[in-house]
Amino acid sequence: MAERLAELGLKFELILSSPLVRASQTADIMQKAGLAVDMNTYLPLKPDGAIAEFISWLQQYQSSNPDAKIALVGHQPDLGNWTETLLWGTIKGQIVLKKAGIIGLKTPSLGTPIARSTLFLHASPKWLI
């Protein structure tokens, strides 16, 4: 999947990964495929991590990197729930992220991203490989 995303020309400024082993391994694979130079472990991406902490981090990061693309490597149902919060401001249980799936969101560079973000990609691996 990482190689396919690289073939499609996808690049990130930063990969943030859950500290759990499988997520860290996935982030490492993504980095080795050339999807990003920088990679960091990010504790809020562990299961049951708080989106509020991520939003605070994102707003600070975007203040100096307004057009940066960031990849998050985490776990379900959290990533689906975070996506719904960013899209609709509430969790509806409608977005499911399959293993090795990808969700693309555009967040506003100013103000809160909650209920103000835009979905541009939601695909399982079978649609990309």
Side-chain angles (χ1 to χ4, degrees), residues 24-46:
S24 295
Q25 291 170 336
T26 298
D28 188 53
I29 290 166
M30 292 172 66
Q31 186 179 31
K32 287 178 180 169
L35 294 176
V37 173
D38 294 324
M39 179 180 69
N40 293 324
T41 298
Y42 188 64
L43 292 178
L45 285 170
K46 69 183 186 304

Side-chain angles (χ1 to χ4, degrees), residues 51-74:
I51 190 172
E53 191 172 333
F54 170 70
I55 290 170
S56 177
W57 176 90
L58 179 65
Q59 289 174 318
Q60 183 177 5
Y61 186 83
Q62 284 181 324
S63 68
S64 57
N65 305 284
D67 296 320
K69 293 177 182 72
I70 304 163
L72 303 181
V73 181

Side-chain angles (χ1 to χ4, degrees), residues 8-122:
L8 293 171
L10 191 61
K11 297 280 185 196
F12 302 99
E13 281 70 33
L14 176 63
I15 299 169
L16 293 179
S17 173
S18 159
L20 275 69
V21 173
R22 185 63 192 116
S24 295
Q25 291 170 336
T26 298
D28 188 53
I29 290 166
M30 292 172 66
Q31 186 179 31
K32 287 178 180 169
L35 294 176
V37 173
D38 294 324
M39 179 180 69
N40 293 324
T41 298
Y42 188 64
L43 292 178
L45 285 170
K46 69 183 186 304
D48 297 321
I51 190 172
E53 191 172 333
F54 170 70
I55 290 170
S56 177
W57 176 90
L58 179 65
Q59 289 174 318
Q60 183 177 5
Y61 186 83
Q62 284 181 324
S63 68
S64 57
N65 305 284
D67 296 320
K69 293 177 182 72
I70 304 163
L72 303 181
V73 181
H75 312 277
Q76 269 300 93
D78 300 319
L79 289 178
N81 291 344
W82 284 24
T83 299
E84 291 183 4
T85 300
L86 293 170
L87 291 173
W88 305 312
T90 187
I91 298 170
K92 298 180 178 188
Q94 299 299 307
I95 294 185
V96 177
L97 182 62
K98 299 287 186 184
K99 286 185 191 280
I102 186 168
I103 292 175
L105 292 176
K106 172 74 175 146
T107 59
S109 57
L110 296 173
T112 182
I114 295 175
R116 295 184 58 230
S117 299
T118 305
L119 180 72
F120 66 85
L121 178 65
H122 181 206

